[in-house]
Amino acid sequence: MPWLPDDVWEAQKAERSAAKGSGGDGGGKGGGGGGKAGWLPDHIWEAQKAERAAAKGGGKGGWQGGWQPRGQPVWQPMFAMGGGWGKSKGKGKGKSMKSFPPSQRVWVGSLAEGTTWKELQEHMDGAGKTKWCEVFENKGKGTGAVAFETDAEAANAIATLNGSVLKGSTIECDGWTKKEEQAS
């Protein structure tokens, strides 16, 4: 389509509108009626777009003078999400034997090789509800630790399960005491 001066173009546009009897040239950029698609200069199209947006009441958040996200952006660095720079503890992590007072902890010795924490927990549940159970490896091989909900349950476990048999081995149960540091 050749370029036309604005006054000529406006006159042709008015003739087309009068011939159709409608208020616009339809779809495409601009357009308001139900006719054929037509091209509009950008400044006219932008003005019509602004009028339609004002009449419609804006929108939910898409294009309004630039893209505005509706929720959080797709990616954010970890420190911006409030997690800090360190790693997250994740679900269920962060608990350990240290999170229980010594009066609720029970040391278990003479465990059979290959005993799992689950087997130890099932055995110790006979004396009270266990909250944490651990079987040590390497330096503490053959030993474990169990934490109970209350001091009374821990004392009951020591009294009733000391000398009991787990996986063919007689286990020892004792109160939790901190290992004394050796002077060198």
Side-chain angles (χ1 to χ4, degrees):
M1 174 176 223
W3 179 84
L4 296 171
D6 285 344
D7 60 324
V8 176
W9 184 82
E10 291 289 335
Q12 288 181 356
K13 179 181 170 192
E15 287 175 16
R16 281 193 302 261
S17 296
K20 288 182 192 172
S22 67
D25 54 356
K29 263 190 177 183
K36 282 182 157 181
W39 178 84
L40 286 175
D42 286 343
H43 68 282
I44 294 173
W45 181 74
E46 292 290 338
Q48 289 180 355
K49 180 179 161 190
E51 287 173 19
R52 281 193 306 274
K56 196 191 295 185
K60 291 183 189 171
W63 288 92
Q64 294 172 351
W67 191 75
Q68 300 295 319
R70 292 186 184 136
Q72 265 194 337
V74 176
W75 179 86
Q76 280 189 333
M78 282 302 293
F79 64 87
M81 288 193 272
W85 288 97
K87 288 188 175 183
S88 169
K89 291 199 184 269
K91 186 176 180 181
K93 293 187 179 168
K95 258 191 176 178
S96 71
M97 215 25 114
K98 292 178 183 175
S99 59
F100 297 95
S103 59
Q104 293 177 357
R105 301 183 214 167
V106 175
W107 174 85
V108 182
S110 301
L111 291 173
E113 194 171 327
T115 303
T116 65
W117 70 267
K118 201 74 168 158
E119 293 167 334
L120 180 60
Q121 184 179 34
E122 287 171 13
H123 185 74
M124 299 300 278
D125 271 339
K129 178 73 178 133
T130 56
K131 296 296 279 179
W132 184 265
C133 194
E134 197 171 341
V135 174
F136 300 122
E137 297 174 358
N138 300 330
K139 276 171 62 175
K141 191 171 185 165
T143 63
V146 181
F148 288 90
E149 222 165 10
T150 64
D151 299 356
E153 288 175 339
N156 183 38
I158 294 168
T160 58
L161 297 175
N162 189 25
S164 63
V165 178
L166 174 64
K167 285 184 74 173
S169 178
T170 305
I171 62 170
E172 303 170 44
C173 295
D174 199 3
W176 187 271
T177 55
K178 197 169 188 175
K179 192 175 181 181
E180 292 182 25
E181 292 183 24
Q182 297 173 349
S184 25

